[in-house]
Amino acid sequence: MGEYHKVVGIIALYIVVLVPGKLCAQDEGIQSDTLRVGVVELEPFAMKTVEGHWEGIAVDLWRELADEIGVDFELRDYGTIHALTQAFVKGDVDLTPIAALTAEREVLFDFSDAYYMSGAVIVVPAQKTGQGWFRVARRFFSREFLQVIGLLLLLWLIAGVAVWLFERRRNPEMFGGGPAKGVAEGIWWAAVTMTTVGYGDLAPKTAGGRFVGVVWMFAAIISISGFTAAISSSLTVGELSGKVRGVHDLATARVGTVVDSSAEAYLVKNGIKQLRSFENPHEGLKSLADRTTDAFVFQGPNVKHLVKSEFRGRVEVLPGTFDHHYLGMALPPGSQLREPLNRALLAFIETDQWTQILKQYLGQGS
């Protein structure tokens, strides 16, 4: 037992002597005085220039915080979120400056305080330009529009036949001349009565005919608004963004996202069946532009920046966001860097310099 306590004492002394005042090597996963900071390209938070220099909201923020707390670091490009996650699990990464704060990830990582609130958006293929009038004309021959017109004609026919049956003998000058001509006149009367045009060229004279007229006038008032809405809907619904127009349409669509992202976790949790995960947003948007998927779901700032810079005119972002969460920095569980990092982070995001970083990458109003 004496030898055991002696060994423990030597180890304890070794740890106390070697742990520096700085926070460079306090974590179990840190092998040197230089922090291994994992990054992947996620515009506008982390971007690599043609010269190989890293920049972006998260990268610039981390540089400021690293300088404030006095740590050295090296940026390591892992290419994909999945590869970065695996490196974190293996202990090959000491920090990443951009991570979604979710309950699922809290099991694997510790997080700093949040510095940005984000939300997922839906991207769909852009509609073809230069065919506006053709698309509108085509809607007049759609099944929905023809069904509405068919039901309207059926009601006119019923009202026309009913008034003709009552008027054909007592009012032959208006509804006479044989069944075909009489029913045709009845349909004309039903149409002008429904639309409240009322030319006065046809009018029932019998009690039965006038009763049909009163019923038809009240029915027309009630139904005309419904028919107007149905016709308008059938003409315009096809002009919306294709198969997917919101979150509720994702269940029946071919949906793309990024592997190991918070968006993927959301889609899996909500039972999206036709889900395809890509290594990065660029591959997902390219699949969407090629129309091998119907929609792409990912974080709004990342997607909007990429659509604006590389996919303008090929895809479009639907309005609105969902699956809101905060972004922060991820560290290994139990990292002693977390407290000083949070203190520096909370102080920095109250400065004008943080505001300027946001404006630089997101524009005014960010």
Side-chain angles (χ1 to χ4, degrees):
M1 290 295 292
E3 288 296 325
Y4 171 77
H5 288 296
K6 183 183 295 184
V7 171
V8 172
I10 292 173
I11 293 174
L13 180 62
Y14 177 80
I15 293 174
V16 171
V17 171
L18 290 186
V19 173
K22 294 286 185 179
L23 295 167
C24 303
Q26 289 182 329
D27 293 295
E28 197 174 295
I30 301 174
Q31 303 299 323
S32 67
D33 291 343
T34 302
L35 289 177
R36 300 160 301 178
V37 177
V39 288
V40 295
E41 287 200 76
L42 287 174
E43 299 89 345
F45 293 92
M47 300 175 289
K48 198 173 186 179
T49 66
V50 292
E51 296 83 9
H53 177 73
W54 283 93
E55 61 182 15
I57 296 174
V59 174
D60 290 1
L61 173 61
W62 164 246
R63 285 197 173 101
E64 295 293 337
L65 300 181
D67 183 65
E68 176 64 26
I69 60 181
V71 294
D72 296 324
F73 66 92
E74 62 175 356
L75 296 176
R76 296 185 179 183
D77 183 5
Y78 283 88
T80 67
I81 296 177
H82 178 71
L84 178 57
T85 302
Q86 295 302 311
F88 235 119
V89 173
K90 294 177 182 178
D92 296 335
V93 178
D94 301 316
L95 180 142
T96 183
I98 175 173
L101 278 63
T102 63
E104 294 83 1
R105 292 184 175 184
E106 181 63 31
V107 177
L108 301 175
F109 317 129
D110 275 350
F111 292 104
S112 71
D113 287 330
Y115 60 81
Y116 192 85
M117 189 180 80
S118 181
V121 296
I122 301 174
V123 192
V124 297
Q127 293 194 25
K128 296 180 180 179
T129 58
Q131 300 181 2
W133 286 108
F134 175 75
R135 291 200 306 270
V136 172
R138 188 174 58 187
R139 296 305 302 168
F140 282 97
F141 298 95
S142 67
R143 185 180 64 179
E144 294 83 359
F145 182 80
L146 294 178
Q147 285 176 341
V148 173
I149 296 301
L151 181 58
L152 185 62
L153 292 175
L154 178 61
L155 291 178
W156 287 353
L157 176 62
I158 293 173
V161 170
V163 75
W164 170 73
L165 290 174
F166 284 106
E167 298 292 317
R168 55 186 174 145
R169 290 192 178 91
R170 299 278 301 276
N171 194 5
E173 65 276 11
M174 293 184 181
F175 296 96
K181 183 177 183 300
V183 171
E185 295 290 357
I187 293 175
W188 170 254
W189 167 83
V192 297
T193 302
M194 170 175 269
T195 57
T196 68
V197 175
Y199 290 116
D201 55 339
L202 298 176
K205 294 181 178 180
T206 65
R210 289 177 177 178
F211 176 76
V212 171
V214 170
V215 172
W216 177 244
M217 283 186 282
F218 279 103
I221 292 173
I222 296 172
S223 61
I224 191 65
S225 58
F227 277 113
T228 302
I231 291 173
S232 300
S233 176
S234 67
L235 289 175
T236 60
V237 68
E239 297 305 304
L240 298 175
S241 300
K243 185 175 182 178
V244 177
R245 300 182 295 273
V247 178
H248 57 281
D249 294 322
L250 295 177
T252 58
R254 300 170 299 170
V255 183
T257 188
V258 175
V259 64
D260 275 351
S261 66
S262 58
E264 183 188 54
Y266 173 87
L267 295 170
V268 171
K269 181 180 178 181
N270 285 272
I272 303 302
K273 304 296 184 183
Q274 302 180 68
L275 182 61
R276 183 179 176 188
S277 296
F278 297 89
E279 292 292 337
N280 54 64
H282 188 278
E283 291 183 6
L285 290 176
K286 185 179 185 303
S287 172
L288 186 66
D290 295 339
R291 298 182 183 266
T292 58
T293 53
D294 302 314
F296 180 74
V297 178
F298 198 58
Q299 300 310 309
N302 313 119
V303 167
K304 291 177 181 178
H305 189 279
L306 199 55
V307 169
K308 182 179 179 181
S309 61
E310 298 186 41
F311 291 88
R312 185 189 295 272
R314 301 171 63 190
V315 300
E316 57 184 283
V317 181
L318 296 183
T321 59
F322 58 99
D323 186 31
H324 298 98
H325 57 264
Y326 292 94
L327 299 179
M329 299 188 181
L331 307 100
S335 172
Q336 297 183 41
L337 186 63
R338 183 180 179 185
E339 282 302 318
L341 177 63
N342 281 338
R343 288 194 293 268
L345 174 61
L346 293 175
F348 185 78
I349 61 177
E350 295 179 358
T351 65
D352 292 337
Q353 192 173 353
W354 172 238
T355 303
Q356 292 303 317
I357 290 176
L358 293 177
K359 287 182 179 179
Q360 177 184 348
Y361 294 104
L362 299 177
Q364 294 291 333
S366 56

